[in-house]
Amino acid sequence: MIAKERAELERRVAAYKSGSYSVGYIPETVIIVDDGVATGYTARAAILSARKKYPKIRIVFAAPVCLLGSYDLLSADADEVVCLDVPAGLYAVGQAYER
């Protein structure tokens, strides 16, 4: 029983880490989520990477908090940016969290 489960685990790791499970699949929409955006450069890199791989799909970026400048930066590359809070005077994402 353990050997069978271990073999299945190894099969899944090999398939999912290689990306072979999705070969040929083209999504209609990609949603990229971050826990908060300061400069926006990492988020923008993710958006541009998805856009390069799938040039014709819809890309949505979402985060609970964004600095105003980064919101504008991401809006130029994503089809939609959903940011729950864009507070004035925020200079670091950590300011938006209690802990």
Side-chain angles (χ1 to χ4, degrees):
M1 179 68 135
I2 293 174
K4 180 181 174 185
E5 291 300 320
R6 187 175 310 254
E8 176 61 13
L9 173 64
E10 290 172 6
R11 183 197 68 77
R12 288 182 185 186
V13 167
Y16 298 144
K17 286 182 90 172
S18 71
S20 64
Y21 65 94
S22 63
V23 170
Y25 174 75
I26 299 174
E28 292 179 26
T29 301
V30 168
I31 301 172
I32 300 169
V33 181
D34 199 345
D35 63 348
V37 180
T39 64
Y41 293 118
T42 304
R44 184 168 186 251
I47 292 167
L48 294 176
S49 176
R51 182 73 71 205
K52 183 177 180 181
K53 184 167 183 163
Y54 304 110
K56 296 180 182 180
I57 64 162
R58 183 169 185 264
I59 297 176
V60 177
F61 179 83
V65 63
C66 298
L67 277 68
L68 183 58
S70 60
Y71 181 87
D72 294 338
L73 175 77
L74 300 176
S75 294
D77 295 310
D79 296 300
E80 182 177 355
V81 175
V82 178
C83 200
L84 302 179
D85 196 12
V86 185
L90 187 74
Y91 61 89
V93 172
Q95 289 178 275
Y97 294 95
E98 272 186 43
R99 298 182 208 177

